[in-house]
Amino acid sequence: MEIFCRVKPFSDNTDFHRQREKSLRKLDIKSIDAPIREIISAFSRTDFCFTMQSCYGHFVHQFQTDIKNTEPLPQTDRILTVEYRIAYLALCIENNRKGRALFDALAEITKIDTAYIQFGCADWFWRQQVNSYVLQVEPERFKYADKIQIDYREALRIEEIRNRFWNSLAEFAEARSLK
């Protein structure tokens, strides 16, 4: 997120349900990266949040130039640098008991690896929609960037963390019967 910032406190939002319905009407699940469609669908079935934007997290290199690819990084010693396009989930969360519980659960996901997962806000999302929060997989030193150039070894580390991140969100959705 180019304007990623600290978590902001919840605000009152009497228009939340109208905004949620409007967002859901515009949601085209086929436009979501295939590996996370079920997760996004699960969150869309709740009544206390809605997805604003998401990205699976993509790795681009000399052998894979598709910026939307979802293939795992190959096991090789021929790749030196990788362009990483950030994995993230941006949600608008209702300011109620269920929403605050979701907020707390999302914050816990950072414990997978606090050096690579951040939970906060993005100013430009917040300007569109109060109570919007972002969970992202990005090296801490690059947390303000949407895409970065990294060495191949770090890309492998990020890929492993990204996969654990999405698996945790899928498990959360399953455990809370969001699916």
Side-chain angles (χ1 to χ4, degrees):
M1 301 286 99
E2 290 187 18
I3 311 174
F4 185 81
C5 61
R6 289 188 319 237
V7 169
K8 296 180 183 202
F10 277 105
S11 297
D12 289 331
N13 181 5
T14 57
D15 288 334
F16 174 83
H17 289 285
R18 183 186 57 75
Q19 293 161 343
R20 180 182 169 278
E21 289 304 316
K22 181 179 177 184
S23 177
L24 291 176
R25 279 193 303 274
K26 293 192 303 188
L27 178 63
D28 175 9
I29 203 68
K30 291 178 183 169
S31 71
I32 305 296
D33 294 326
I36 61 173
R37 283 182 189 153
E38 282 302 313
I39 297 166
I40 303 307
S41 290
F43 278 100
S44 72
R45 288 190 291 274
T46 70
D47 62 352
F48 54 90
C49 75
F50 60 90
T51 304
M52 296 181 68
Q53 227 175 53
S54 62
C55 183
Y56 178 60
H58 308 281
F59 297 95
V60 181
H61 50 84
Q62 70 257 33
F63 303 114
Q64 176 52 269
T65 58
D66 178 3
I67 64 172
K68 292 288 192 176
N69 86 82
T70 58
E71 296 173 10
L73 285 165
Q75 294 298 316
T76 184
D77 58 0
R78 296 175 44 208
I79 300 172
L80 297 178
T81 61
V82 175
E83 178 181 277
Y84 170 61
R85 293 171 170 256
I86 187 172
Y88 68 94
L89 175 63
L91 293 170
C92 180
I93 303 174
E94 187 174 17
N95 184 10
N96 65 13
R97 184 184 54 77
K98 288 180 181 178
R100 287 187 295 280
L102 171 61
F103 175 95
D104 292 342
L106 294 175
E108 285 291 308
I109 289 177
T110 64
K111 291 180 179 176
I112 292 170
D113 192 322
T114 58
Y116 286 89
I117 301 176
Q118 300 86 40
F119 180 61
C121 294
D123 282 333
W124 71 281
F125 279 138
W126 196 274
R127 283 191 299 269
Q128 294 176 32
Q129 185 67 59
V130 297
N131 302 335
S132 59
Y133 298 94
V134 178
L135 192 58
Q136 66 180 28
V137 178
E138 184 84 298
E140 175 72 23
R141 68 189 186 280
F142 295 119
K143 69 182 176 185
Y144 302 111
D146 289 342
K147 60 184 176 179
I148 58 173
Q149 292 291 324
I150 51 175
D151 70 60
Y152 176 73
R153 295 260 176 247
E154 186 170 22
L156 289 171
R157 173 98 174 106
I158 293 170
E159 179 181 50
E160 184 264 327
I161 294 165
R162 180 211 54 195
N163 294 344
R164 289 176 56 202
F165 167 84
W166 287 116
N167 288 339
S168 292
L169 284 168
E171 288 168 11
F172 172 82
E174 182 71 34
R176 301 294 192 286
S177 297
L178 299 181
K179 289 188 173 189

